[in-house]
Every structure is written in structure tokens, then in C-alpha cells.
Amino acid sequence: MTTIEHPSVPASSADLPPVERRPAMPSGFKAGGMATGIKASGRPDLAVVVTTSGPAAVAAVFTPNTFAAAPVRLSRAHLATTSGDPRGG
């Protein structure tokens, strides 16, 4: 196997610039999360992201599985209703 090194890729994580670790939300959105009891561990298991300044464009990738779960079927239906595409796209 041949390894090709690219000059712009740092050799190690020590060569990377420092990253500020703080949550950031783009303007026009709000988000929240909580534990709803889905996970046995009691850790947060639900997240909600909403727009605060009107409609927003979305994109989705769904399973091709014939037996998709209820949330997948519901999301497909919502996208089909709002986009006019019967595939939900």
C-alpha cells in the first residue's frame, strides 16, 4: 500500500489550530433537547430545532427500506405536502 501525504494536512493533532468549544446557533433558529425516557440511561434523547423567522429550506435523506419506521414515513409525508413532490423530496 502506498501512502500519499498532502502538504496542507497537519501531521498530528498538535499541529491543528485551537478550536473554541462552545455551542452556537445560527440566527433565525432555536433548539432544545431533553430526556423523554426513550433511552434507558436517562440521557437526553429528544432534540427539536425550529425556525423563528419564517419558513426554511430543508433537505432529507431517507432509508430505501420498504419497512421504514413511523418517523420516516411521517417526515416523507410532510415533505411531500410542502414540496409538491410525492416522493417527499
Side-chain angles (χ1 to χ4, degrees):
M1 180 191 295
T2 304
T3 303
I4 301 172
E5 293 194 26
H6 195 281
S8 65
V9 177
S12 72
S13 61
D15 298 329
L16 295 172
V19 176
E20 183 178 354
R21 295 183 182 265
R22 65 176 180 83
M25 182 64 59
S27 65
F29 292 89
K30 286 188 176 184
M34 64 183 292
T36 61
I38 296 170
K39 289 185 176 182
S41 67
R43 296 182 65 191
D45 49 21
L46 174 71
V48 177
V49 179
V50 298
T51 60
T52 59
S53 56
V58 300
V61 177
F62 296 114
T63 178
N65 189 336
T66 303
F67 301 103
V72 172
R73 294 192 312 266
L74 180 63
S75 294
R76 283 180 179 157
H78 286 173
L79 285 174
T81 299
T82 59
S83 71
D85 185 334
R87 297 171 301 163

